[in-house]
């Protein structure tokens, strides 16, 4: 294993590579945080990139380093810091979503005639595989059937409470992302994160031109897909687009190259209600509850339907949902938490209500719209705009409120977990930086908290680093820029 370079060596290597950079401004020696960062960002700007940075003391808010801190760029997934902090502020870290499930019909002995009705709560974790209490949602419904002595039923699975709620894709989202899990629509009723898994495989001896076998997870998945093969591609990949009530995927293989034997992709579903109904059917069958055909005549005289509570499906606490949202950068969770925040503050859901509520929340924190213009909660929208000053201010004010520890705990830890788990570290930086990352085409952002163990005056700082107009040829690239910046944040003096 290669040893990590000491912080001073990392900085020295960077400086030696930047001989073409503009001179560091007077008063900012190159062995300080301002000196290293100024040289770094001006090198990028000389190559056509846009940059901005803002570093403040986490306790007092005193600015410690600024560079074009008012430039507005796309915040990308760092918008999740905005939406999750807003949800924590309005609802509290212990808040849980509750999805009630009712029986609407009549029971005669072991026979139930009627519908299973779930009341939409907007819970983004319902049926998710990420949490033990959510993964078995359908089994809990089947167990509740058994507890009532029901062995047969005839009816449907329905969802109520979705009228008047906006559940489509967000404004400014890219249409060609729609098929994929990271762009699943934040519908008022969410099940299994509105995602199913598609796996393709070729049998031994098959050629690239042969049609692959298709396997869905879960097996009761309701999404349909048409898979084509392309044997004349430049490289191997599996790409899908939505259309015609399903998805169309193309499995590409390079000309003359090795034939890929398997591929997998997570796809979004348009109808989580159908996926939930299929899951309930599957769970009831596994628990020995027989579903009778709807064509079967009902006993006479018919009995009046009476709604009866069956079970309540409860989410993990909001602090755990926020942790998953930010550690793994889950767009659907961020949007649903944002919508729940909007409902709490305005009485309505939807992107208009979300923007109204977020603007008011930001104003409360002293963040004007010129510093942060919110449009969605996940950062997928290309209409969001934010400055480093605005993003740092959101995190700074959050730290000072009762839920602050829960928000900071939700941020990925450099070299340890989440989206920063595999990043390069030095002995000094590992575990000392918590940051939310954001990436869109040409854009890269980092917003977080850094510990400075050798600085008694400023032992903890809040930072925002935003880069725009980046491309494959930009040197240093975004990750190299963050690596150098993070080392300077932890190790170098501020003056």
């Amino acid at each position: 294993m290669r040893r990590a370079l000491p912080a001073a060596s990392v900085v020295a290597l960077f400086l030696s590579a930047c001989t073409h950079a503009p001179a560091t401004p007077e008063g900012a020696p190159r062995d300080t945080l301002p000196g290293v960062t100024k040289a770094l960002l001006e090198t990028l700007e000389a190559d056509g990139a846009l940059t901005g940075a803002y570093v403040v003391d986490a306790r007092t808010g005193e600015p410690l380093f600024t560079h074009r801190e008012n430039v507005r760029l796309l915040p990308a997934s760092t918008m999740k810091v905005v939406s999750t902090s807003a949800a924590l502020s309005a609802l509290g870290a212990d808040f849980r979503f509750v999805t009630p499930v009712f029986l609407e019909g009549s029971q005669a002995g072991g026979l139930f005639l009627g519908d299973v009705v779930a009341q939409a709560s907007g819970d983004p974790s319902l049926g998710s595989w990420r949490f033990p209490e959510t993964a078995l949602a359908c089994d809990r419904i089947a167990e509740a059937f058994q507890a009532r002595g029901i062995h047969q039923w005839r009816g449907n699975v329905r969802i109520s409470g979705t009228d008047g709620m906006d559940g489509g894709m967000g404004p400014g989202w890219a249409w060609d992302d729609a098929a994929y899990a990271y762009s699943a629509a934040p519908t008022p009723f969410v099940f299994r994160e509105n995602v199913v898994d598609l796996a393709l495989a070729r049998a031994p001896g098959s050629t690239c031109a042969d049609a692959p076998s298709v396997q869905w997870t879960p097996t009761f998945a309701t999404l349909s897909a048409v898979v084509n093969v392309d044997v004349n591609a430049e490289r191997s990949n599996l790409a899908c687009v939505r259309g015609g009530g399903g998805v169309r995927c193309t499995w590409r293989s390079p000309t003359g190259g090795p034939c890929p034997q398997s591929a997998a992709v997570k796809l979004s579903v348009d109808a989580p209600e159908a996926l939930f109904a299929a899951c309930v059917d599957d769970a009831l069958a596994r628990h020995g509850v027989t579903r009778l055909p709807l064509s079967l005549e009902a006993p006479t005289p018919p009995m009046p339907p009476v709604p009866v509570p069956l079970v309540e499906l409860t989410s993990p606490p909001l602090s755990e949902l926020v942790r998953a949202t930010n550690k793994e950068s889950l767009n659907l969770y961020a949007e649903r938490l944002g919508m729940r925040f909007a409902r709490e503050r305005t009485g309505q859901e939807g992107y208009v209500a979300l923007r109204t509520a977020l603007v008011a929340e930001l104003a409360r924190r002293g963040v004007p719209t010129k510093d942060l213009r919110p449009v969605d909660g996940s950062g997928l929208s290309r209409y969001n705009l934010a400055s480093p000053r605005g993003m740092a201010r959101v995190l700074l004010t959050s730290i000072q409120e009762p839920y602050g520890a829960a928000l900071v705990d939700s941020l990925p830890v450099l070299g340890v977990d989440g989206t920063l788990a595999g990043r390069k570290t030095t002995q000094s930086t590992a575990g000392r930086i918590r940051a939310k990352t954001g990436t869109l085409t040409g854009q890269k952002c980092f917003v977080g908290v850094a510990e400075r163990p050798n600085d008694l005056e400023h032992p903890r700082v809040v930072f925002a680093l935003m880069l725009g107009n980046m491309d494959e040829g930009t040197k240093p690239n975004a990750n190299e820029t963050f690596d150098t910046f993070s080392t300077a944040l932890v190790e170098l003096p501020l003056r």
Side-chain angles (χ1 to χ4, degrees):
M1 179 179 295
R2 297 175 59 187
R3 289 177 55 88
L5 289 171
S9 298
V10 173
V11 173
L13 285 174
F14 163 72
L15 292 175
S16 65
C18 292
T19 55
H20 65 286
T24 305
E26 185 177 354
R30 285 185 179 272
D31 59 351
T32 64
L33 169 67
V36 167
T37 308
K38 281 281 188 184
L40 177 65
L41 299 185
E42 289 175 357
T43 297
L44 289 172
E45 290 170 353
D47 200 23
L50 299 173
T51 73
Y54 197 57
V55 181
V56 299
D57 185 278
R59 183 177 58 86
T60 66
E62 173 193 355
L64 303 174
F65 172 73
T66 64
H67 179 82
R68 305 193 195 285
E69 70 276 13
N70 61 346
V71 66
R72 290 185 290 271
L73 296 169
L74 297 181
S77 280
T78 60
M79 270 300 296
K80 294 179 177 67
V81 174
V82 181
S83 57
T84 55
S85 67
L88 284 167
S89 175
L91 303 169
D94 296 328
F95 170 83
R96 294 175 186 261
F97 290 88
V98 177
T99 303
V101 181
F102 300 88
L103 294 181
E104 291 191 0
S106 302
Q107 183 175 346
L111 173 65
F112 172 68
L113 300 171
D115 294 343
V116 179
V117 182
Q119 176 76 33
S121 68
D123 179 4
S125 69
L126 182 64
S128 172
W129 60 91
R130 298 180 195 275
F131 308 99
E133 58 265 63
T134 61
L136 300 177
C138 297
D139 289 274
R140 290 195 58 200
I141 292 173
E143 290 163 1
F145 260 66
Q146 289 181 318
R148 295 183 61 86
I150 300 173
H151 306 296
Q152 294 180 309
W153 79 293
R154 192 196 69 168
N156 293 301
V157 179
R158 296 190 289 109
I159 309 299
S160 66
T162 61
D163 294 343
M165 294 187 185
D166 183 0
M169 292 179 64
W173 290 17
W175 67 268
D176 48 352
D177 290 342
Y180 299 107
Y182 63 81
S183 195
T187 49
F189 177 80
V190 174
F191 185 70
R192 204 181 178 273
E193 301 184 6
N194 292 357
V195 167
V196 296
D197 297 271
L198 173 66
L200 305 180
R202 289 190 169 99
S206 298
T207 69
C208 289
D210 293 332
S213 64
V214 176
Q215 180 178 348
W216 292 100
T217 303
T219 55
F220 52 77
T222 55
L223 187 65
S224 63
V226 175
V227 179
N228 299 312
V229 295
D230 178 1
V231 297
N232 297 309
E234 294 183 0
R235 58 188 177 88
S236 298
N237 76 337
L238 175 60
C240 302
V241 294
R242 182 172 298 286
V247 294
R248 298 185 63 181
C249 299
T250 302
W251 194 8
R252 297 183 175 92
S253 306
T255 303
C259 184
Q261 297 301 297
S262 62
V265 63
K266 288 185 177 295
L267 298 173
S268 65
V269 298
D270 282 336
E273 301 90 345
L275 188 63
F276 175 68
C279 180
V280 171
D281 278 345
D282 176 75
L284 289 172
R286 287 188 286 104
H287 284 75
V289 179
T290 302
R291 183 169 184 177
L292 303 176
L294 292 174
S295 58
L296 188 69
E297 291 188 12
T300 55
M303 291 169 283
V306 179
V308 175
L310 180 66
V311 68
E312 288 187 338
L313 305 174
T314 305
S315 77
L318 182 59
S319 58
E320 290 189 31
L321 300 181
V322 167
R323 182 180 173 87
T325 301
N326 287 330
K327 293 280 189 189
E328 302 180 54
S329 204
L330 303 178
N331 296 319
L332 176 68
Y333 280 58
E335 297 297 349
R336 286 313 315 168
L337 296 184
M339 293 300 177
R340 185 62 184 82
F341 160 74
R343 193 198 324 168
E344 190 73 13
R345 291 292 172 84
T346 70
Q348 296 180 321
E349 289 193 6
Y351 284 101
V352 173
L354 176 59
R355 182 174 184 182
T356 298
L358 285 177
V359 167
E361 173 69 9
L362 292 169
R364 179 184 73 82
R365 302 177 186 216
V367 182
T369 52
K370 70 176 182 179
D371 272 349
L372 208 166
R373 186 184 75 179
V375 173
D376 69 359
S378 67
L380 280 176
S381 176
R382 276 67 172 173
Y383 300 156
N384 293 306
L385 282 177
S387 68
R389 182 172 56 200
M391 293 305 302
R393 180 72 181 169
V394 170
L395 188 50
L396 176 67
T397 53
S398 297
I399 289 174
Q400 297 167 348
E401 299 199 353
Y403 61 86
L407 182 66
V408 172
D409 182 63
S410 76
L411 300 177
V413 182
L414 185 65
V416 176
D417 63 15
T419 55
L420 294 181
R423 297 296 297 276
K424 293 181 180 179
T425 62
T426 67
Q427 188 174 4
S428 62
T429 60
R432 288 202 170 106
I433 290 183
R434 291 177 176 269
K436 183 73 196 77
T437 60
T439 305
L440 286 172
T441 303
Q443 313 285 317
K444 192 75 173 185
C445 306
F446 305 89
V447 176
V449 178
E451 308 293 337
R452 294 173 51 83
N454 299 322
D455 189 341
L456 297 179
E457 186 179 4
H458 304 291
R460 195 186 203 197
V461 297
V462 171
F463 66 88
L465 173 65
M466 304 184 71
L467 310 175
N469 280 4
M470 304 286 286
D471 64 18
E472 299 84 355
T474 304
K475 296 295 182 183
N477 64 35
N479 286 340
E480 292 167 341
T481 299
F482 180 64
D483 292 341
T484 302
F485 177 66
S486 62
T487 301
L489 272 178
V490 173
E491 276 292 312
L492 295 186
L494 295 171
R495 300 179 182 84

